[in-house]
Amino acid sequence: MSGYDFDFFISYSRQGSVQKWLLNHFYNKLKDCLADECAPAPRVYMDRHMPRAVEWSHNLQTSLRHSKIMIQVMTPHYFTSGWCMAELYSMRAREEMLGFASARIPQGLIYPILYSDSENFPEEERMRKYHDFKEFAHPDPVYQQTVHYFQFHKEVKQLARDLVELAHQVPDWQPDWPIVELPEPIVTPRPSLPRFKPCPEP
């Protein structure tokens, strides 16, 4: 499997509570559960753990190109983030290049998990089956002390089994995996302030 540096690449938006959830619960739990499933332990990329002094946008592109599977953490802000869309479209371009996620080969290289919402996602994003984690979307550390955390562990364990099985099916790495260029930052114009009229004379 020369050419792959990571088995899984976590793609997510930093808006909202999802980043806190990933760092407090999901990331380490997933690594532990993956290590329970196979040896050597699969490698998981998350942008909060990149080496110091690297140029982060290039690190993201390189890490995605050298990853087997993308774990897409779906939230409302995910689909409004240019960076997330670049990661998503890059992996979709790889699927198209290989003929994956199609009528001929239904399995893809993107594994979506649902953190929040889903009612307002783009129509095409509802076509791919996702793993629903909304019930376990509790970002604070105290969640680990509750009786519900056992079920969260079971859910991540099932996810790890799925991911390991999927990772065994990916094709050999190719140096021409496509990367969609990151878009220019989108600046949303500020709404104009209402003009205040002078108070009428009493």
Side-chain angles (χ1 to χ4, degrees), residues 118-144:
S118 76
E119 298 298 324
N120 300 302
F121 290 171
E123 185 66 31
E124 63 271 18
E125 301 305 325
R126 305 178 195 178
M127 302 303 293
R128 193 180 300 235
K129 186 176 180 181
Y130 55 75
H131 198 134
D132 192 344
F133 270 82
K134 285 174 71 172
E135 180 183 348
F136 313 104
H138 305 286
D140 296 318
V142 70
Y143 180 47
Q144 298 180 18

Side-chain angles (χ1 to χ4, degrees), residues 14-187:
R14 295 189 177 197
Q15 297 292 319
S17 64
V18 64
Q19 181 175 224
K20 196 174 178 183
W21 179 75
L22 288 167
L23 293 171
N24 287 339
H25 307 302
F26 182 80
Y27 176 74
N28 288 322
K29 180 65 71 176
L30 177 63
K31 289 203 305 178
D32 288 345
C33 290
L34 287 168
D36 288 340
E37 293 300 320
C38 67
R43 296 190 62 192
V44 183
Y45 177 89
M46 184 173 165
D47 63 359
R48 289 298 299 271
H49 301 281
M50 67 176 65
R52 293 182 182 275
V54 302
E55 207 290 322
W56 69 274
S57 62
H58 292 158
N59 182 268
L60 280 173
Q61 289 182 331
T62 301
S63 299
L64 180 61
R65 177 178 272 129
H66 290 268
S67 296
K68 298 176 185 177
I69 304 293
M70 190 182 86
I71 301 171
Q72 176 195 23
V73 185
M74 298 194 297
T75 62
H77 287 283
Y78 186 91
F79 300 103
T80 63
S81 165
W83 300 98
C84 293
M85 289 297 95
E87 293 166 2
L88 178 60
Y89 294 153
S90 294
M91 201 53 116
R92 282 184 178 169
R94 188 191 304 186
E95 289 180 333
E96 184 176 353
M97 178 179 173
L98 294 166
F100 286 6
S102 65
R104 187 172 64 89
I105 308 176
Q107 184 62 63
L109 301 173
I110 301 166
Y111 193 110
I113 68 172
L114 177 63
Y115 179 78
S116 60
D117 191 36
S118 76
E119 298 298 324
N120 300 302
F121 290 171
E123 185 66 31
E124 63 271 18
E125 301 305 325
R126 305 178 195 178
M127 302 303 293
R128 193 180 300 235
K129 186 176 180 181
Y130 55 75
H131 198 134
D132 192 344
F133 270 82
K134 285 174 71 172
E135 180 183 348
F136 313 104
H138 305 286
D140 296 318
V142 70
Y143 180 47
Q144 298 180 18
Q145 310 306 318
T146 69
V147 295
H148 306 292
Y149 201 72
F150 173 71
Q151 187 59 41
F152 170 70
H153 172 83
K154 288 180 63 177
E155 204 69 25
V156 177
K157 194 170 184 65
Q158 181 59 57
L159 170 66
R161 292 194 193 103
D162 291 347
L163 289 172
V164 167
E165 181 180 353
L166 184 58
H168 286 324
Q169 302 174 29
V170 301
D172 290 341
W173 184 79
Q174 297 181 31
D176 59 343
W177 290 142
I179 288 291
V180 173
E181 289 298 321
L182 298 176
E184 294 295 327
I186 300 173
V187 179

